[in-house]
Amino acid sequence: MLDRFLLQGPEDARFTILLAHGAGAPMDSASMTAAAKALADVGFRVARFEFAYMAARRTGIRKPPPRAETLNPEYEAAIAALGAEGLLVIGGKSMGGRVASMVADDLHDKGKIAGLLCLGYPFHPPGQPDKLRTGHLKGLATPALICQGTRDEFGTRDEVPGYDLSDRIEILWLEDGDHDLKPRKKISGFSAADHLSAMAKAAKAWAERLPV
């Protein structure tokens, strides 16, 4: 059993980023591990955690992902348990970022977080572009950075600009990236490592601009 949090990056970092996993893969999946390393390499303190249903799978109890909004209290409990010093950014991969986005404004209002970082936001289910998950993003007041692959089946570069999103949201588009931000190198000329490095550098520059 893993500890509740996976921690990496400098302990005295100005910013800590708390990341939750996506619906189907754990906090130590290859994509989460690579993204966390990239963020730690540019100077963030990175903490990863799992929702209870995913943690239960480690003991052989196979639970499906619950509705995203039901995980809001678990995300808030993880923030409290982490007790990060300094400035905190919350977010995650896919569903994890979506849950963070739903609790962000209340926490930002209370001065508990500085921003929101989403890696591959699930704007809609694959193949169902009319089932948008963007209602709460229209009025989002928390500064946010969404890092999205241009061919992400949960929201492509052709689709997302047409959505009604808060002007507090910045989007970093990664050429030919999929839902894990991975490009096809022969088509794009970029590697997965290239995109993760670009993501981390953009997140660092964005965080340094946050009004804290």
Side-chain angles (χ1 to χ4, degrees):
M1 180 67 180
L2 294 171
D3 291 335
R4 179 164 189 183
F5 297 103
L6 291 178
L7 300 167
Q8 62 199 108
E11 293 184 10
D12 60 349
R14 183 176 181 225
F15 286 94
T16 296
I17 300 180
L18 179 62
L19 295 176
H21 55 85
M27 64 179 173
D28 57 346
S29 68
S31 63
M32 283 286 289
T33 297
K37 181 182 185 302
L39 291 165
D41 284 348
V42 298
F44 288 111
R45 181 69 166 165
V46 183
R48 287 175 275 164
F49 79 99
E50 284 181 348
F51 296 114
Y53 83 90
M54 184 62 72
R57 293 183 181 184
R58 297 184 184 275
T59 64
I61 302 173
R62 187 75 181 177
K63 293 186 176 182
R67 292 180 63 87
E69 59 269 20
T70 67
L71 297 171
N72 292 0
E74 284 193 51
Y75 205 115
E76 293 176 339
I79 293 170
L82 181 63
E85 297 181 4
L87 300 170
L88 178 64
V89 170
I90 63 170
K93 171 79 176 72
S94 193
M95 184 193 72
R98 182 184 175 202
V99 176
S101 73
M102 290 189 284
V103 301
D105 274 359
D106 182 58
L107 295 165
H108 188 256
D109 274 349
K110 295 175 181 177
K112 293 183 178 181
I113 66 169
L116 169 71
L117 175 65
C118 299
L119 308 178
Y121 187 85
F123 289 98
H124 60 72
Q128 302 179 67
D130 295 332
K131 293 187 176 180
L132 292 179
R133 299 160 170 166
T134 57
H136 66 293
L137 298 181
K138 179 179 179 179
L140 188 76
T142 305
L145 176 64
I146 296 176
C147 300
Q148 196 86 353
T150 62
R151 62 183 177 94
D152 189 333
E153 61 183 353
F154 289 79
T156 68
R157 185 164 53 186
D158 291 335
E159 297 169 331
V160 176
Y163 301 157
D164 190 1
L165 303 177
S166 166
D167 61 8
R168 303 308 299 275
I169 298 173
E170 297 180 32
I171 300 181
L172 171 69
W173 287 107
L174 295 163
E175 187 61 37
D176 197 58
D178 63 10
H179 196 49
D180 288 331
L181 310 180
K182 291 181 180 179
R184 296 165 294 186
K185 189 166 186 178
K186 289 184 178 180
I187 293 175
S188 69
F190 296 103
S191 67
D194 291 335
H195 275 0
L196 289 178
S197 176
M199 174 276 292
K201 290 175 182 176
K204 184 71 169 178
W206 164 80
E208 294 298 341
R209 297 195 307 269
L210 290 174
V212 295

